[in-house]
Amino acid sequence: PPPILRHSGGDGRNEGDSEEKQSIWEKIQRNKELVEDIKLYSSSLVLALTVRTFIVEPRYIPSLSMYPTLDIGDQLAVEKVTKLVRGFRRGDIVVFRPPETYKEMVSGSLAYAGRNVGKEDLIKRIVAVEGDVVEVREGGKVLLNGKEVNERFIAEAPQYTYGPKEVPTGMVLVLGDNRNRSMDSHIWGFLPVENIIGRAVATYWPPQRIGGL
């Protein structure tokens, strides 16, 4: 019987495609300048992604909850190293993922209609850390472990009362500097430290508001 012929390359198009790809790659290799540019851009991209993911990233302020410290349109740098080195302290301004209690409160609220607020990161100031006892008394006095706190950075004294409450382990209490225009811990409770993304360290835009935080 005649030998059976087996087709390995179909109609030959695979071989042609392979040769074309090889030809393109050879051209790229011969163009040393292009190769160097590709290497440079690739390295820059990897470095930029690494810095943004693990070290520092830019953020934009969309509301007045942190006014007058931060205004609408401010752009700031948020570093992510603090949580690995020393942890967070009272007075730190932090960006964080909203806790479940916050998501439950805003879901279905007409005030947040059309916005995916449950996935929007928030920014507030840490007022108390685990073990602290915090209280807000009538007249806007804020007490931390029984002592009144001088808060020169706030827009106005809070017009609400809170506590006294002790901050649980693994939690912090965060408030907006614009105390009476901020949805924060005095409404939705303590913030898990694990939700914190990083610490705001400086504003870099607009030029007239450049400075450290």
Side-chain angles (χ1 to χ4, degrees):
I4 298 174
L5 300 179
R6 300 185 182 275
H7 295 283
S8 59
D11 56 4
R13 284 180 294 179
N14 288 342
E15 184 177 349
D17 291 346
S18 178
E19 289 177 355
E20 183 179 353
K21 291 178 181 177
Q22 185 176 2
S23 176
I24 293 173
W25 179 242
E26 287 175 351
K27 289 179 181 179
I28 292 175
Q29 286 182 315
R30 284 197 296 266
N31 190 334
K32 294 183 178 180
E33 185 177 344
L34 178 58
V35 172
E36 290 303 316
D37 285 345
I38 292 174
K39 289 180 179 179
L40 177 62
Y41 296 148
S42 299
S43 300
S44 299
L45 178 60
V46 170
L47 177 61
L49 292 175
T50 301
V51 169
R52 183 182 176 93
T53 303
F54 300 106
I55 301 175
V56 66
E57 69 175 71
R59 289 284 174 159
Y60 170 86
I61 300 299
S63 76
L64 288 170
S65 70
M66 282 296 293
Y67 185 82
T69 306
L70 297 170
D71 203 350
I72 292 176
D74 284 354
Q75 295 183 42
L76 57 148
V78 177
E79 61 88 6
K80 302 179 178 183
V81 180
T82 289
K83 58 184 177 182
L84 304 175
V85 178
R86 66 162 173 81
F88 297 103
R89 300 172 180 170
R90 304 182 198 100
D92 285 347
I93 297 175
V94 294
V95 173
F96 57 91
R97 295 180 296 275
E100 292 302 318
T101 49
Y102 172 88
K103 295 178 184 178
E104 293 169 3
M105 288 182 128
V106 301
S107 62
S109 172
L110 293 177
Y112 296 95
R115 290 175 53 191
N116 192 7
V117 291
K119 293 186 178 180
E120 292 179 0
D121 296 333
L122 306 176
I123 182 167
K124 307 292 178 189
R125 186 186 296 271
I126 295 178
V127 173
V129 297
E130 62 177 63
D132 285 340
V133 176
V134 62
E135 179 182 6
V136 181
R137 292 181 178 176
E138 289 186 12
K141 292 183 178 180
V142 177
L143 280 73
L144 190 63
N145 300 320
K147 296 182 179 180
E148 186 175 350
V149 180
N150 181 18
E151 299 182 303
R152 293 174 293 179
F153 46 79
I154 63 174
E156 58 185 357
Q159 297 171 3
Y160 56 80
T161 58
Y162 175 85
K165 290 185 179 181
E166 182 175 345
V167 182
T169 301
M171 300 281 190
V172 292
L173 183 133
V174 294
L175 300 176
D177 288 355
N178 196 357
R179 290 292 156 80
N180 301 308
R181 302 290 186 274
S182 176
M183 187 172 183
D184 48 38
S185 283
H186 88 278
I187 297 174
W188 43 257
F190 300 111
L191 171 71
V193 172
E194 63 185 17
N195 282 40
I196 299 177
I197 296 169
R199 181 173 66 97
V201 291
T203 53
Y204 62 86
W205 191 264
Q208 65 270 22
R209 289 183 60 81
I210 292 176
L213 296 172

